[in-house]
Amino acid sequence: MPDTTERRPYHHGNLRTDLLDAAERRLRVHGVEQLSLRDLARDVGVSHAAPRRHFADRRALLDALAESGFMRLGAKLRAAVNGIDDKDDLPARLQAFAWAYVQFATENAELTGLMNSRKHRPGATAVAEAAAAAFGQISDLIEEGQERGELEGDDPEGIGLILYATVLGITSMLNSGMIEPARLEGLVGTAVTQFLRGARPTQPR
């Protein structure tokens, strides 16, 4: 049967969103190597040329998918932190942040891998900015704790990076099968508790 894809009408409306949704579904099932504009056009039901109205090439598609992922992650982290009623409860807010990240990263393992690989790609400015906006929230939390005297140091970004590296390691171990899902919540709680213990100011004797 001849391929009639090229004769399909241009899909108006939310084509860019539809393509990103289709890309994420394909990423989840087949991995990043199986992502192509041609396959996405077929999935969405548009001509092979239509996706190039939004993505110049495959690299642009991957960058856009990573940027979208960071925007979603940022929104999830913000909602988790803002969900803590006591805005002065730093431990609870850090726990909420860490748990929200771990949930996202384990539920979207392939997407998270793509996000982390694209944010350092030369020229991926929008991806880097979206990543900075998402993770900048932890620096804000650390800075608030420092201003109240709950945490020591004067480098909130660097201190926050320590906690991020810890939860990133936990999720990587889970996604690779090194630890069981049942241990996840306990490990995240311990990570935040140990982080706070090490970051608190030394009490005078």
Side-chain angles (χ1 to χ4, degrees), residues 136-160:
Q137 297 178 66
I138 194 169
S139 298
D140 293 340
L141 289 174
I142 299 300
E143 187 171 7
E144 290 174 13
Q146 290 173 334
E147 290 175 351
R148 292 196 298 266
E150 298 177 50
L151 301 177
E152 65 179 0
D154 55 4
D155 181 12
E157 183 178 354
I159 295 174

Side-chain angles (χ1 to χ4, degrees), residues 115-182:
M115 289 159 56
N116 288 332
S117 69
R118 303 303 289 185
K119 66 181 178 181
H120 299 300
R121 188 186 69 76
T125 304
V127 180
E129 290 176 351
F135 294 122
Q137 297 178 66
I138 194 169
S139 298
D140 293 340
L141 289 174
I142 299 300
E143 187 171 7
E144 290 174 13
Q146 290 173 334
E147 290 175 351
R148 292 196 298 266
E150 298 177 50
L151 301 177
E152 65 179 0
D154 55 4
D155 181 12
E157 183 178 354
I159 295 174
L161 187 61
I162 296 172
L163 179 58
Y164 169 59
T166 303
V167 294
L168 177 63
I170 292 172
T171 57
S172 297
M173 293 175 70
L174 180 82
N175 289 339
S176 64
M178 294 177 65
I179 59 177
E180 296 295 326

Side-chain angles (χ1 to χ4, degrees), residues 149-150 200-205:
E150 298 177 50
R200 288 193 177 103
T202 303
Q203 298 295 324
R205 295 184 179 180

